Structure formats: structure tokens, C-alpha cells
Amino acid sequence: MINTQLFKNFNYEKIQSITAILLGTLLAFAQAPEKMSYQAVIRNAAGQLVQNQSIGIKVSILQNSETGAVVYSERLTGTTNANGLVSLAIDSGTVLSGTFNTINWSAGNYYLKTETDPSGGIHLNDES
């Protein structure tokens, strides 16, 4: 037999209130990311995979449009795997302009522009 007294004393409203408070507290402490993960499959001009090779990528974060003002720019280097995949963390490279952790992500739309140099990054322009 099921003890019906147990269910009569169970206060669903208290559980809902506690859950709402805990969820609100967690959301209040949400912060902008310290780093942003980035992955890409790298191909050369002929469309062939760039495998097991050091590459350079210049990353720029543009505000309001794909041709908007650069609010952050950096140069990253990484090594592709056998499938041409490179995995990088934006805000872990050489900063060219701006400060990643001061970007106001709620101030509009942002666009990610990448420029890749399959020869290791020595040909990437430092200008934003």
C-alpha cells in the first residue's frame, strides 16, 4: 500500500519556489566567456585538405555587420590533424587590437571574420 499521508504533506509550491530562486541565482552570476572555441577544416587553394601542418589564423570580431568595426583581433597558430581539422581558443593568441573580455556582447550583433594562412601564419597582416 502507498502511504497517501506522505503525498498530502508534500508541498509542491515550496519546491517550485526554491527551484526558481536557485535558477535565478545561477543566471545572475552568468558571465561572458573568457575564451571562445573555434574549429575549422583547412583546405588549400586547390581544395585539398591541409593535413598535419602548422597553420596561422587571424580572427577579427566585427560589430553590427560583416564589414563593421573591428572590436577585437588576434593571430592564432595551430596544427591540423589528418582530417585537416584545427581546434583553437579565441583569446589565447597574439592580440592585434582590442580586449576580448571587455566586448559588450549585448550591444548588438557581432560577426567573426577569419583569415587563414596554410603556411603557418607568417603571411597574416597585423593590421585590423
Side-chain angles (χ1 to χ4, degrees):
M1 274 181 105
I2 297 176
N3 185 350
T4 56
Q5 184 63 32
L6 176 66
F7 290 106
K8 287 180 184 175
N9 292 333
F10 195 75
N11 190 334
Y12 290 102
E13 292 162 356
K14 273 188 181 178
I15 297 296
Q16 288 175 337
S17 296
I18 292 171
T19 302
I21 290 169
L22 289 174
L23 184 59
T25 303
L26 289 174
L27 292 175
F29 287 107
Q31 298 177 354
E34 291 183 24
K35 295 190 183 338
M36 188 183 312
S37 297
Y38 176 78
Q39 289 186 320
V41 174
I42 308 299
R43 296 180 181 272
N44 63 18
Q48 300 167 328
L49 291 174
V50 176
Q51 300 171 309
N52 303 311
Q53 187 172 320
S54 180
I55 56 109
I57 295 181
K58 179 181 175 186
V59 174
S60 300
I61 297 176
L62 311 174
Q63 189 171 21
N64 296 325
S65 76
E66 49 202 45
T67 58
V70 175
V71 295
Y72 179 77
S73 181
E74 75 174 326
R75 187 177 44 230
L76 297 154
T77 57
T79 303
T80 59
N81 66 13
N83 298 313
L85 180 71
V86 64
S87 297
L88 303 167
I90 297 172
D91 195 28
S92 65
T94 302
V95 176
L96 302 175
S97 67
T99 305
F100 186 78
N101 63 1
T102 62
I103 297 172
N104 183 359
W105 296 103
S106 65
N109 295 322
Y110 289 89
Y111 295 79
L112 184 66
K113 176 183 175 183
T114 59
E115 301 168 71
T116 305
D117 181 3
S119 65
I122 57 174
H123 297 87
L124 290 173
N125 185 346
D126 284 354
E127 299 173 12
S128 295

